[in-house]
Amino acid sequence: MVACDSSTSDDKAEKSSVSSKKETEFYKIGDTVKVDKVTYTLKSVKLTKERNQFEDSNPKYVLKVTYHVKNETSDDLAVGTDLNVYGPSNSKLKTYPLNDQTIDSITAGKEADVVTGFGTNKLGKFELHFEPLASLNAKAAKFKVNVK
């Protein structure tokens, strides 16, 4: 967003494009981002008390991530494995199986909500990287969230 000032419209356009680049480096909850022919919308990142009795790991916290995926490719798209999460210490989190976790595929031209879990022992700032598995050269859509 550009503040109102007395500069020319050319200056405002330049400032706007510079601030847009900074703002789009990392996205936030509610933003929609297209990676190749797949559109991701991060809906929520919440702590859950849900635990899986069959899971060997016992993280202090479990993050429940909900996102929406729109498949604009011509093939089925694997979902639930298209997200990597990095914790406050910059280490990659392991997935944590939730009862309502989505490991599925979406038919070409269709869309769906996806739920997945991640275990962590620390709260703070998390980076979420969305990237379709079939996408070889695409840059991941990166989101930042703070979970307390």
Side-chain angles (χ1 to χ4, degrees):
M1 184 183 301
V2 177
C4 292
D5 62 15
S6 60
S7 59
T8 66
S9 61
D10 288 340
D11 289 342
K12 287 182 182 178
E14 186 177 317
K15 286 180 186 176
S16 178
S17 67
V18 169
S19 77
S20 291
K21 286 180 185 175
K22 288 180 184 175
E23 289 173 15
T24 58
E25 186 174 307
F26 285 99
Y27 300 94
K28 62 186 183 313
I29 292 174
D31 287 346
T32 298
V33 183
K34 193 167 190 174
V35 179
D36 277 351
K37 295 182 179 181
V38 180
T39 303
Y40 293 98
T41 303
L42 180 58
K43 295 177 88 174
S44 67
V45 178
K46 299 177 181 177
L47 291 175
T48 180
K49 293 183 180 188
E50 180 183 334
R51 295 296 184 265
N52 186 321
Q53 67 184 11
F54 302 108
E55 174 59 29
D56 291 334
S57 70
N58 188 20
K60 187 172 182 179
Y61 305 103
V62 175
L63 301 177
K64 183 176 186 175
V65 180
T66 304
Y67 58 101
H68 188 82
V69 179
K70 184 175 183 181
N71 180 8
E72 298 176 58
T73 70
S74 57
D75 298 312
D76 286 359
L77 177 72
V79 292
T81 56
D82 51 353
L83 172 61
N84 290 310
V85 177
Y86 298 87
S89 61
N90 289 323
S91 57
K92 185 176 177 179
L93 302 182
K94 292 184 178 181
T95 58
Y96 186 90
L98 301 172
N99 292 330
D100 58 347
Q101 184 155 332
T102 309
I103 302 290
D104 206 349
S105 63
I106 300 173
T107 303
K110 304 297 182 189
E111 52 192 283
D113 283 343
V114 178
V115 175
T116 191
F118 292 89
T120 182
N121 289 318
K122 292 182 181 178
L123 297 180
K125 293 182 181 177
F126 293 86
E127 284 186 25
L128 292 79
H129 296 204
F130 291 93
E131 185 176 6
L133 286 178
S135 191
L136 299 175
N137 295 321
K139 286 187 174 181
K142 297 178 182 178
F143 289 73
K144 271 193 180 178
V145 297
N146 193 9
V147 180
K148 298 177 183 178

